[in-house]
Amino acid sequence: MSTTQMDDTMFKRTGKSTGTMLQYGDKNFVNRVNQSKADKFARGAITSAQDAQWIKRETARAELGNWEGWRDLSEQIRQQVIRYLPDYLEEFSNNVEKRGGHVFFAQTDIEARDFITDLVKKKKAHNIVKPKSMVTSEIGLDKALLKIPGVKVTETDLAEFILELDDWDEPSHLVFPALHKNRDQVQKLFAKLGYTGDNDPQHEARFSRKVLRERFLESDMSITGCNFAVADQGMVNIVTNEGNADLSMAIAPTQVVVMGMERLVPTLKEAETMDNMLVRSAVGTKLTSYCSFVSPKLPDEADGPEDFYVVIVDNGRSNALGTEFEPILQCIRCASCLNVCPIYRNIGGKGYGSVYPGPIGAVLSPLLQGDYDEFHDLPYACSLCSACTATCPVKIPLHELILKHREIMMNDKHMGDLIADTVMKVVGIGTGHSSLFRTALTFDHVAMNTIAKKGVKNPATGSRVPDTAKNLNENGKHEEWMPFVFGGWTKVRDLPEPPAHSKNFRTWFNQRKKAQIAKAGGAGAFHKAQASILAKNPNAPKDFGTYDNSVSTRKVGKEQTTPLSEATVPVALGSIEEAGVGHYSDHSSHTSHENAVRHGIATGPAANSADNRKKD
């Protein structure tokens, strides 16, 4: 039975409801954050995990050598796949069918769930085993399967198994789902299955292994995710540290692979590179314990799935295609961005209220859902420190995409509240006119001094004690409360009181410059001495003059940009080229233009044929 479907509508915004199962928990963002902040164990666990992962991750990356070059290469691979996504999807689906498998394309999470639940009923499956998979959580598959009479679902990843026992608790991390659970909680949960041991993690793990082995042996269907799908082989690449995916796939007669439509690589060569980048970024090791490439069971093989299905899910991903958000489809779900994010460190995964937490969730969740109804707060759960962008192994500009969400909500959707809009308009007028701005700097100290406090309030006694940190001004006062939108700042940090006008930076700078001019013997002598100093500086520009930032000097057409030449283009992949990897080029077999047209995916100049890919 072949259920392969491919048409051009999959890569257009169809208006169908997508991302319907992404949101969980309290719908109020502030309530979720307060609940997360109250869980002191979870916050401590996240802090420890971030610190430990930093050391492991950076060590593993340093061992690889020329990390930035490998990032460039990985970005090229992912962008190549996304650019020619229809071609690679068709190539992959054709090769799966050649191996005897079946492919189903689902535009929405509802279509994916319906197909899989219908398949379970048709196969009369009763014992389903599942390795960890983010995309199955994204489409709400577990809840749908549990509604089928007589069906038992077991999450075989140890962390997910723990969450399953806790009434299917939601994960708090992409890679470490049960990060918010401690050993005592696990002990109590395992007691439901007859565990009578102590809270030693090794004893708990040994007990879970015994239980899960029995579930593996009685399974009649496995449902897995997919790290990467190899287009020219029709195979699925899955990496784990526990071996649970291998047991799931080897024993159950039917396997269903659920994958996001962007999780492709052209060949095994690119899969090797991406696995390397994924593992070093996710867990800080050279490679996971198990790295498997799966396809339907061959006649001469002893184990493996006899029936092999691949469900390729769009579920709003096409909303990003051809837009400024397209780079988010490069994501390989390593969670490296979570492990450096200061916001995630403080509110944890559950504070986001999305299956995808952290910076990746702040960008991806609104896109998958196609609107900002449920996730309009997430782009603001960000300090724009850009640590996520700096650590991303495939160079996704995460903080820029988060900022783009804010621009759309404010400028296009007009989602700001009236008070915030009014306040920001006033601030914009004040900072947009030099005379008003100078007036504000003159009176800021006087205005703020009325609400400024000295020292820190002791919660236990109510008295104020001296600050432990040195303030940025002489009087040591700071603001603990401010009205309107400014209150969001002072709720979580103190704002140092502005210095008096006679002591602020501009006053100091003007006085210093006057003293220098007087010491030099006048303005002319001062500028001459300054030019002499610059002339001796080899790094100073040749035609250095007095910098004028007035509007009249910044008119369109006056700016000049010197194009990069061969001598100035940086060579980022030097050591990779020496190692024999080189710049990325596509060596995979390509679907012909005629075949693509026949399937309805390569019509018009926007659809790139195989020949175009080779030219690139």
Side-chain angles (χ1 to χ4, degrees):
M1 179 188 72
S2 173
T3 56
T4 300
Q5 302 172 14
M6 179 72 78
D7 58 66
D8 194 43
T9 62
M10 183 174 180
F11 301 97
K12 294 179 180 178
R13 296 160 186 81
T14 61
K16 293 185 178 181
S17 297
T18 57
T20 61
M21 302 299 292
L22 284 174
Q23 202 274 336
Y24 69 87
D26 195 312
K27 291 192 175 183
N28 184 282
F29 176 70
V30 176
N31 291 344
R32 293 198 306 266
V33 169
N34 289 335
Q35 292 168 8
S36 297
K37 288 169 63 179
D39 190 342
K40 294 182 179 180
F41 172 80
R43 294 181 66 186
I46 290 171
T47 299
S48 299
Q50 281 192 336
D51 294 343
Q53 280 299 311
W54 175 276
I55 297 171
K56 293 176 64 178
R57 182 178 64 251
E58 296 309 310
T59 301
R61 289 174 172 181
E63 289 174 352
L64 183 62
N66 193 16
W67 176 251
E68 290 304 313
W70 285 102
R71 289 182 75 207
D72 289 337
L73 179 61
S74 301
E75 180 188 32
Q76 293 170 32
I77 293 172
R78 297 298 295 135
Q79 287 182 347
Q80 168 79 5
V81 168
I82 294 167
R83 184 177 182 182
Y84 300 107
L85 191 56
D87 298 314
Y88 283 120
L89 282 171
E90 182 173 30
E91 182 180 10
F92 172 70
S93 62
N94 288 343
N95 286 325
V96 168
E97 291 191 327
K98 288 178 183 177
R99 289 177 174 270
H102 315 285
V103 181
F104 178 80
F105 285 87
Q107 286 187 334
T108 67
D109 50 1
I110 298 173
E111 291 180 9
R113 286 198 306 273
D114 288 348
F115 175 81
I116 297 171
T117 52
D118 288 345
L119 182 64
V120 170
K121 295 173 183 176
K122 179 181 178 181
K123 294 289 183 180
K124 298 181 179 179
H126 297 289
N127 298 294
I128 300 174
V129 289
K130 288 179 71 267
K132 187 172 77 67
S133 164
M134 291 306 303
V135 71
T136 58
S137 298
E138 173 192 323
I139 66 175
L141 183 59
D142 288 342
K143 295 177 182 178
L145 293 174
L146 292 171
K147 292 179 181 179
I148 304 175
V151 171
K152 181 169 66 176
V153 181
T154 301
E155 290 284 353
T156 60
D157 176 86
L158 178 55
E160 294 281 4
F161 182 58
I162 292 170
L163 298 181
E164 173 191 332
L165 293 175
D166 193 13
D167 196 23
W168 298 90
D169 189 16
E170 296 293 344
S172 58
H173 194 280
L174 300 186
V175 178
F176 313 113
L179 185 60
H180 57 290
K181 299 292 185 186
N182 61 40
R183 61 176 68 187
D184 295 325
Q185 291 172 315
V186 174
Q187 181 185 17
K188 293 179 181 178
L189 292 172
F190 282 0
K192 296 179 179 180
L193 301 176
Y195 178 65
T196 57
D198 56 18
N199 66 352
D200 187 317
Q202 291 188 3
H203 298 161
E204 293 171 340
R206 189 175 294 120
F207 173 79
S208 68
R209 186 182 300 119
K210 178 179 180 298
V211 173
L212 290 174
R213 288 289 171 127
E214 296 173 356
R215 304 283 179 91
F216 286 129
L217 292 173
E218 65 186 12
S219 64
D220 42 27
M221 177 180 285
S222 69
I223 301 177
T224 72
C226 166
N227 291 110
F228 302 103
V230 187
D232 74 334
Q233 298 293 322
M235 302 178 74
V236 173
N237 175 208
I238 300 175
V239 296
T240 66
N241 270 317
E242 301 172 20
N244 56 309
D246 295 66
L247 283 171
S248 299
M249 298 179 294
I251 298 175
T254 301
Q255 179 183 354
V256 179
V257 177
V258 188
M259 58 174 281
M261 69 179 189
E262 80 283 8
R263 302 304 295 273
L264 290 155
V265 289
T267 71
L268 288 170
K269 174 184 174 183
E270 288 77 29
E272 178 186 7
T273 299
M274 298 313 302
D275 279 344
N276 203 334
M277 300 297 286
L278 170 62
V279 176
R280 290 177 189 269
S281 298
V283 293
T285 60
K286 294 180 180 179
L287 197 63
T288 51
S289 301
Y290 301 88
C291 182
S292 307
F293 292 84
V294 189
S295 62
K297 177 183 175 181
L298 298 177
D300 58 344
E301 291 181 331
D303 56 21
E306 298 172 0
D307 289 327
F308 188 78
Y309 296 84
V310 179
V311 179
I312 301 178
V313 181
D314 179 346
N315 197 31
R317 286 163 174 79
S318 56
N319 291 332
L321 287 173
T323 73
E324 293 179 80
F325 293 105
E326 188 172 275
I328 200 64
L329 298 180
Q330 296 168 205
C331 179
I332 57 176
R333 305 296 191 270
C334 69
S336 184
C337 58
L338 276 69
N339 294 335
V340 299
C341 178
I343 307 301
Y344 177 83
R345 188 183 185 97
N346 281 278
I347 70 173
K350 294 196 173 185
Y352 290 85
S354 170
V355 168
Y356 296 108
I360 177 64
V363 177
L364 187 61
S365 299
L367 291 173
L368 294 183
Q369 202 167 72
D371 55 48
Y372 296 99
D373 290 348
E374 293 182 346
F375 298 117
H376 60 275
D377 291 303
L378 297 193
Y380 292 95
C382 176
S383 65
L384 297 179
C385 67
S386 77
C388 51
T389 298
T391 196
C392 179
V394 290
K395 302 186 73 171
I396 302 173
L398 286 162
H399 75 287
E400 295 178 7
L401 299 181
I402 289 173
L403 190 60
K404 185 62 182 177
H405 272 311
R406 296 185 187 184
E407 292 177 4
I408 293 174
M409 284 191 287
M410 292 297 105
N411 298 341
D412 299 341
K413 302 289 186 180
H414 304 291
M415 296 177 66
D417 61 80
L418 181 60
I419 295 178
D421 285 347
T422 303
V423 170
M424 295 311 295
K425 285 179 181 178
V426 172
V427 171
I429 294 172
T431 56
H433 295 77
S434 58
S435 58
L436 293 176
F437 187 66
R438 284 195 297 269
T439 301
L441 291 178
T442 302
F443 296 103
D444 58 354
H445 173 77
V446 177
M448 301 288 280
N449 189 54
T450 57
I451 57 174
K453 301 290 184 181
K454 198 165 188 175
V456 181
K457 187 176 182 180
N458 188 331
T461 63
S463 60
R464 305 191 72 83
V465 296
D467 288 325
T468 56
K470 187 177 180 180
N471 278 296
L472 301 179
N473 49 61
E474 297 178 357
N475 56 23
K477 289 186 175 182
H478 57 263
E479 321 299 331
E480 295 181 353
W481 173 88
M482 291 185 70
F484 305 122
V485 294
F486 307 110
W489 175 278
T490 52
K491 280 181 181 178
V492 293
R493 57 180 71 82
D494 294 330
L495 178 66
E497 182 189 24
H501 178 66
S502 60
K503 296 180 180 180
N504 67 18
F505 172 79
R506 290 176 178 245
T507 300
W508 169 86
F509 183 82
N510 290 332
Q511 291 173 349
R512 180 177 181 272
K513 187 172 181 180
K514 288 178 181 178
Q516 287 178 327
I517 291 174
K519 185 177 180 180
F526 172 75
H527 291 303
K528 185 176 180 181
Q530 192 177 44
S532 176
I533 294 172
L534 289 171
K536 296 176 183 178
N537 184 356
N539 296 319
K542 294 180 180 179
D543 300 324
F544 184 84
T546 303
Y547 179 64
D548 184 0
N549 193 36
S550 62
V551 175
S552 60
T553 64
R554 291 185 283 114
K555 292 181 179 178
V556 177
K558 286 196 174 185
E559 298 88 348
Q560 293 184 356
T561 303
T562 303
L564 291 174
S565 64
E566 292 183 2
T568 59
V569 173
V571 181
L573 300 177
S575 65
I576 295 180
E577 290 171 343
E578 294 170 4
V581 180
H583 287 279
Y584 173 67
S585 61
D586 183 19
H587 299 294
S588 63
S589 59
H590 303 300
T591 307
S592 67
H593 178 69
E594 292 79 6
N595 197 29
V597 171
R598 177 169 52 84
H599 284 271
I601 65 168
T603 56
N608 297 283
S609 67
D611 293 337
N612 289 336
R613 283 194 286 165
K614 289 181 179 179
K615 290 177 183 177
D616 287 349

